[in-house]
Every structure is written in C-alpha cells, then in structure tokens.
Amino acid sequence: MRVRTVGSGETSAVAAWHETSQQWIDLDAAAQALDPGARGEATRGVLAFLAARERGRDTAASLMDRAVAENVAVVTPTPTRPLQPASLRCFMGWEQHWSQAAHQLVRRNIPAAMPFIRGVEMVTRKDFPALRPGASFADHPMYYTGNHLTILGDGDVVPWPSYSDLLDFELEFGMIVDRPLRDATPAQGADAIGGFVVFNDLSARDTQWDEQRNGSFGPVVKTKTFASSMGSVVVTADEVLDRLDDLSASVVVDGETWSSTGTAGLRWGPGDTVAYASRGEDVFPGEMMTSGTLPSGCGLELDRWIAPGNTVTLSIDVIGSVTNTIGAKA
C-alpha cells in the first residue's frame, strides 16, 4: 500500500492510495466521518501506520472503499516529506557503482594515472586494487552514518553547499524500520522494515576527493551531510521485499533521461543490512537505512553534472520517485 503525509503539525494525517479509483484518501478524515473508532495514531502518522502492519492496511482498505463510495476525504496532496527519520545509515549495495565511481574520480582528478591502471586491469582482468571496495564488503554490509536532520522533502529546492563547486545526485532507496530490534537475524531484520521510499543521497564531489585523500574519517563527512532528499510516498514492505532484486529505475534531468538502471545485483539484502546495523546495538522505530547508489545512478559515474536550476527526478519502479530543483550556488 502507498501512503504519505497530508497536512502538518497537529493537523497532519496519513493519506493512502486507493488503487481502484486512483485517488488519495485522507484516512483520518475518512475515519472521523465514517468510523470514529478507527481514528488513532495509525491514521495520523506514517510511522504508526507502518507499525500497524496488516491490521492497519486492512483498516485503511475498508475506510478507502467507503470514502470513495460516499465521496468523502478525497485529497490532492502536495509533495512533502512523509516523516522525519530518527537516524540515517547509508549502506553500500552495489560493487558496480563503487567501481565506476572510483574510476571516474581518478580519471577526473589524476588522469595521468589511468593508462597504468588500465594496463594492470588488462593483465589481471580485475579492477585495480585501490579502486575496489574494501575487503569487508564481501564479509558484511558496510555503511556510514548520515545527517538525518538535513533530509529534504519531495519538491524542495536543494541548497547548493557554499564549499563545493561540484554537486551530484545519487539514486537510492530507503528502508524505514518500524519496530525495535537488537542483534537481529537477517529474517528478523527484514521483518523490521515497514516501508520503502526513494532517496537521493546528494554529494559534493570535489569535497569528496579532498576528504578521501586528506581526511581522517573518509569521504563521507562534509561530502554528504549538507543535504539529502526523500520521496513523498512510502510503499509498505509487503509490496516490495519479494521483488526488490528486479526493479527498473531511472534518472531524469530537466525531462531528459540520463540513466536507465535497476536494482539487480544488490550484494546484501535488506534483512542483512538491518541485522548488521543492529549488531551489538539497539535499532529503534523511525530509523532509516538506505541502499547505496544503484549502478549508473549518479552523475559521477555518467560524467554528467547537474547545475543550478536543474530539476532532477529519481525513480524506482514500485517504490516511487523524488524530484528536487537544484538551488543557486552560494
């Protein structure tokens, strides 16, 4: 089921998509008009709705059918962030993305090294060692902790960071945890995912190069923390988990398709990533974990660069999309 937030503050509510009529229904308004006993946290907040699982979806389906029949609580939502994540953990899902991005970073910043790198790769028939993921990638999921307080909503303008001249998008999906867990198994990790959303992990690529070579904490500090964005629509996990390895995806900039890609080849499944995050620590409802960039899902890999005024739409089949316009340089 597809859900989103309508309204704001004390008047916010959950809207759900009624497939048959192709309309959004305000579940709280529908409950108030048709079944006051159904009103509660699950009709007012997306996280509570996800946590209600099948019971919440069944209640929503019944309310929507009645609302459509009586023509009440139909809404036309404006883009907004569906919830404020309690934390942000960004995983690396596809080795192909890492390899392509690493090669392009070197090609852009140390072009004289590329003939030697290509020569080694021709002989070994493997990626140059320094341009592969770390050895841990084959052993367990890998992630960094992002800034959950700077996540923008669908439709928001992306503020260009004052310290960067090279801004980039990254096409990912986010997984929203809706129940607590600790030291979980992969099955328990998958079961703790309430919903999926499209995520744009924005990056300052010139800063990334400097942090990678000269910093003490790797290339994910000021490179990443200034902003990211998430779609308006959250899709419940029952709609996504069984088909997550075979979804098409795209990047469209100002109406032009820059990349057509997909989710095939994900190294670690959703349950593995959530379980790893819970190893030796508590994971709480409302935390969000992202997939890492889909192959050819960023401008760095494509060697195509966004500029102020561009409108960027990242889409993943079944899950949805996120659209943002790039703001002026500071």
Side-chain angles (χ1 to χ4, degrees), residues 231-309:
S232 295
V233 176
V234 175
V235 180
T236 54
D238 61 297
E239 301 277 349
V240 179
L241 278 172
D242 290 343
R243 52 198 303 194
L244 189 57
D245 196 45
D246 190 30
L247 301 179
S248 60
S250 66
V251 175
V252 175
V253 180
D254 290 345
E256 179 187 358
T257 300
W258 280 19
S259 179
S260 296
T261 180
T263 58
L266 185 62
R267 175 62 180 87
W268 295 100
D272 297 307
T273 58
V274 176
Y276 182 75
S278 78
R279 184 183 296 181
E281 64 180 285
D282 294 315
V283 170
F284 297 94
E287 296 198 50
M288 186 161 74
M289 307 188 188
T290 67
S291 62
T293 308
L294 275 63
S296 301
C298 68
L300 174 61
E301 292 174 86
L302 305 170
D303 197 22
R304 300 191 70 172
W305 300 94
I306 51 176

Side-chain angles (χ1 to χ4, degrees), residues 3 47 49-50 78 85 101 118 160 252 254 313:
V3 294
L47 182 59
F49 176 87
L50 296 177
T78 56
R118 284 195 295 265
W160 195 290
V252 175
D254 290 345
T313 298

Side-chain angles (χ1 to χ4, degrees), residues 5-303:
T5 294
V6 291
S8 61
E10 294 182 358
T11 63
S12 66
V14 177
W17 180 248
H18 188 251
E19 290 286 350
T20 304
S21 68
Q22 298 286 286
Q23 297 179 101
W24 288 101
I25 307 299
D26 181 329
L27 297 181
D28 199 55
Q32 183 176 26
L34 303 170
D35 184 3
R39 295 188 75 193
E41 292 184 359
T43 62
R44 298 191 184 105
V46 165
L47 182 59
F49 176 87
L50 296 177
R53 298 297 178 94
E54 188 174 1
R55 173 177 55 83
R57 296 193 297 271
D58 288 346
T59 298
S62 175
L63 284 172
M64 286 193 290
D65 286 342
R66 293 176 62 187
V68 168
E70 300 190 30
N71 195 30
V72 298
V74 176
V75 291
T76 304
T78 56
T80 188
R81 192 176 55 198
L83 77 167
Q84 171 62 65
S87 75
L88 176 63
R89 306 180 198 227
C90 301
F91 284 80
M92 185 175 73
W94 288 269
E95 184 172 356
Q96 182 182 346
H97 157 70
W98 178 278
S99 173
Q100 291 177 169
H103 280 78
Q104 286 286 34
L105 274 173
V106 173
R107 184 175 290 111
R108 182 178 183 87
N109 292 282
I110 318 177
M114 288 309 298
F116 173 73
I117 290 172
R118 284 195 295 265
V120 171
E121 291 179 339
M122 287 180 63
V123 172
T124 63
R125 298 186 180 180
K126 295 179 181 179
D127 283 343
F128 191 73
L131 303 183
R132 301 176 199 160
S136 293
F137 180 66
D139 182 59
H140 59 74
M142 299 169 60
Y143 73 90
Y144 69 89
T145 301
N147 187 351
H148 66 290
L149 297 177
T150 57
I151 299 176
L152 304 169
D154 194 16
D156 287 345
V157 174
V158 174
W160 195 290
S162 59
Y163 50 82
S164 176
D165 290 316
L166 204 60
L167 191 60
D168 200 4
F169 56 85
E170 293 193 27
L171 168 58
E172 308 189 7
F173 60 78
M175 302 169 284
I176 301 166
V177 174
D178 68 1
R179 57 188 60 187
L181 70 167
R182 182 185 179 97
D183 286 322
T185 65
Q188 292 168 333
D191 187 57
I193 301 169
F196 289 78
V197 64
V198 176
F199 186 78
N200 185 351
D201 187 19
L202 293 152
S203 300
R205 295 301 187 191
D206 44 0
T207 304
Q208 181 179 29
W209 180 252
D210 178 68
E211 290 185 336
Q212 176 75 56
R213 290 170 60 83
N214 301 314
S216 299
F217 296 101
V220 290
V221 187
K222 298 300 284 185
T223 297
K224 298 283 190 177
T225 53
F226 63 93
S228 55
S229 67
M230 63 190 298
S232 295
V233 176
V234 175
V235 180
T236 54
D238 61 297
E239 301 277 349
V240 179
L241 278 172
D242 290 343
R243 52 198 303 194
L244 189 57
D245 196 45
D246 190 30
L247 301 179
S248 60
S250 66
V251 175
V252 175
V253 180
D254 290 345
E256 179 187 358
T257 300
W258 280 19
S259 179
S260 296
T261 180
T263 58
L266 185 62
R267 175 62 180 87
W268 295 100
D272 297 307
T273 58
V274 176
Y276 182 75
S278 78
R279 184 183 296 181
E281 64 180 285
D282 294 315
V283 170
F284 297 94
E287 296 198 50
M288 186 161 74
M289 307 188 188
T290 67
S291 62
T293 308
L294 275 63
S296 301
C298 68
L300 174 61
E301 292 174 86
L302 305 170
D303 197 22

